Amino acid sequence: PSQLTDREAMGGRGDSAGFIALVQATAAATGGVFAAFVLMPLEVAKMRIQLSHGGDLSTFGMLAGVLAEEGFAGLFKGCSAKCFETGSKNFIHFYIYDVISAVAKRRVDLTTGVKLLLGYLAGVGDTMFTMPLEVMATKVLAEKSNDGMFVLVKRVLDKEGVGGLFKGFWYNIMLCVNPAIQNTCFDKVKDWIMKAQVKNGVKSPALSAFQAFLLGAFAKAIATIITYPLVRLKTILQAGQELARKVSESSVGPPFQRTSSKEMLLALAEREDKLPAAQGPLQKVAELYRGIGSALMKSVLQAAFLYMTRDQVAGFVRTFFKLSAKAFFRKDGTVKLGVFSGRPLAS
């Protein structure tokens, strides 16, 4: 079965492509917010490890340190900002993805390459709308103070202008390939599984919640490993840190500032607590992937929870929308309640 057919099954036969996209986007946003809340302590640990340039890499060590210094509340710092960002991002991404997939399916076969392109375009679309939310959620997590998001927004606007809310924008545009890889891997393997179920005589092929969990984890792991160095660089820039490295062992005073992407990645590959000459090529590659363990743990579990709950939530969302429509609108499109009673919806 094709991707659209699978989603039509979740939306209900006879539903319009727009309605199916709305159901899928709402379900994805709901699942994303749930996953972001449950995994917030891992997000805090991941962020702090990514922003560091030396010292302990242990996720559980970082969690223990936060708990000892800031208490239980420290494990959920910036939770509301992160949940709002995740929900918004998921809703916009999946809505765009479903709509353009429905349009593309009428014109071309949805090959792996086409799905990757559609996923990338959906990622660019959601980035355009949610970039300021991502920047501010990162700053809330990175700040040592307990200033709220609105205070930080004002500070950024006063210091950097509107451009400060879009810091790392072009890195994010490049990183739109991440959800494209993730969703394409998920859909491709899902197609294989469902085709195998059809061959085995299953009348209504579908993934179980556990299969969706494992497949979502696998797809996110592949996407995270491929793009991680760029993700870490973007996070450091959004948090307001400067990347720099020593020119030589004997250099003293302020380190040489790096500005280009290549130079910043070179700086990212060096630990601050060791001299450059003492760091071999393998150590520098490992430093580029500093925090990959906590990032994989958090992002893989979040994607797995999202995919596991999305299809389950989609059925409830569809029923809710249908019941709401029946409660407020007649079959001819006129409104049942309020001052607009009996008037048709504007077309």
Side-chain angles (χ1 to χ4, degrees), residues 23-281:
V23 169
Q24 288 299 305
T26 305
T30 304
V33 169
F34 169 75
F37 176 78
V38 171
L39 300 174
M40 195 63 208
L42 284 178
E43 176 67 23
V44 171
K46 180 204 75 171
M47 182 72 68
R48 298 197 180 189
I49 293 173
Q50 283 182 339
L51 295 176
S52 67
H53 300 277
D56 189 15
L57 289 172
S58 166
T59 301
F60 294 105
M62 182 63 74
L63 287 172
V66 172
L67 194 60
E69 292 178 13
E70 304 173 43
F72 185 76
L75 298 178
F76 285 86
K77 182 179 181 179
C79 183
S80 58
K82 192 64 185 177
C83 286
F84 184 62
E85 177 223 330
T86 301
S88 302
K89 198 174 187 69
N90 280 4
F91 182 89
I92 295 172
H93 181 90
F94 280 93
Y95 188 85
I96 294 174
Y97 185 66
D98 273 55
V99 168
I100 60 178
S101 293
V103 173
K105 188 175 185 292
R106 301 191 193 107
R107 293 167 172 79
V108 296
D109 291 332
L110 294 183
T111 63
T112 300
V114 171
K115 288 181 179 180
L116 271 171
L117 177 60
L118 296 178
Y120 181 80
L121 293 175
V124 171
D126 79 61
T127 295
M128 299 288 287
F129 288 102
T130 63
M131 184 78 192
L133 295 176
E134 179 183 314
V135 171
M136 296 319 302
T138 300
K139 284 191 175 293
V140 170
L141 282 167
E143 285 284 329
K144 293 183 179 180
S145 65
N146 291 319
D147 293 337
M149 189 163 69
F150 293 109
V151 174
L152 292 176
V153 168
K154 185 177 184 303
R155 189 181 302 166
V156 170
L157 290 175
D158 291 342
K159 185 178 179 181
E160 306 174 58
V162 177
L165 297 176
F166 289 85
K167 184 172 283 187
F169 177 78
W170 294 110
Y171 291 112
N172 250 4
I173 292 298
M174 288 187 281
L175 285 169
C176 288
V177 73
N178 188 305
I181 294 170
Q182 175 187 337
N183 289 329
T184 301
C185 286
F186 183 90
D187 285 334
K188 196 70 178 177
V189 179
K190 179 181 178 180
D191 283 349
W192 292 340
I193 293 173
M194 295 180 75
K195 286 176 181 177
Q197 290 178 346
V198 170
K199 287 182 179 179
N200 291 330
V202 178
K203 293 183 179 180
S204 300
L207 293 181
S208 66
F210 184 65
Q211 285 176 320
F213 181 92
L214 293 179
L215 185 49
F218 169 75
K220 186 61 179 179
I222 296 296
T224 299
I225 291 170
I226 291 173
T227 61
Y228 185 74
L230 203 57
V231 170
R232 185 171 171 233
L233 174 58
K234 179 204 68 172
T235 300
I236 288 174
L237 292 176
Q238 288 180 344
Q241 290 190 4
E242 294 291 337
L243 279 170
R245 63 198 291 248
K246 293 283 188 182
V247 177
S248 67
E249 293 183 29
S250 60
S251 62
V252 294
F256 182 77
Q257 296 297 315
R258 299 288 185 167
T259 54
S260 73
S261 297
K262 179 181 177 181
E263 290 170 333
M264 285 191 290
L265 282 171
L266 288 173
L268 199 66
E270 294 181 355
R271 293 176 64 115
E272 288 183 349
D273 54 356
K274 291 185 179 181
L275 293 172
Q279 302 176 52

Side-chain angles (χ1 to χ4, degrees), residues 284-326:
K284 291 183 177 182
V285 171
E287 188 63 16
L288 276 177
Y289 281 84
R290 182 180 185 81
I292 185 67
S294 60
L296 275 174
M297 187 185 302
K298 188 265 175 180
S299 58
V300 164
L301 285 174
Q302 182 165 332
F305 277 126
L306 168 62
Y307 284 115
M308 180 181 70
T309 58
R310 188 187 64 180
D311 291 359
Q312 316 303 319
V313 173
F316 293 104
V317 171
R318 177 180 178 273
T319 301
F320 173 78
F321 284 159
K322 291 284 189 180
L323 290 175
S324 298
K326 287 181 180 179

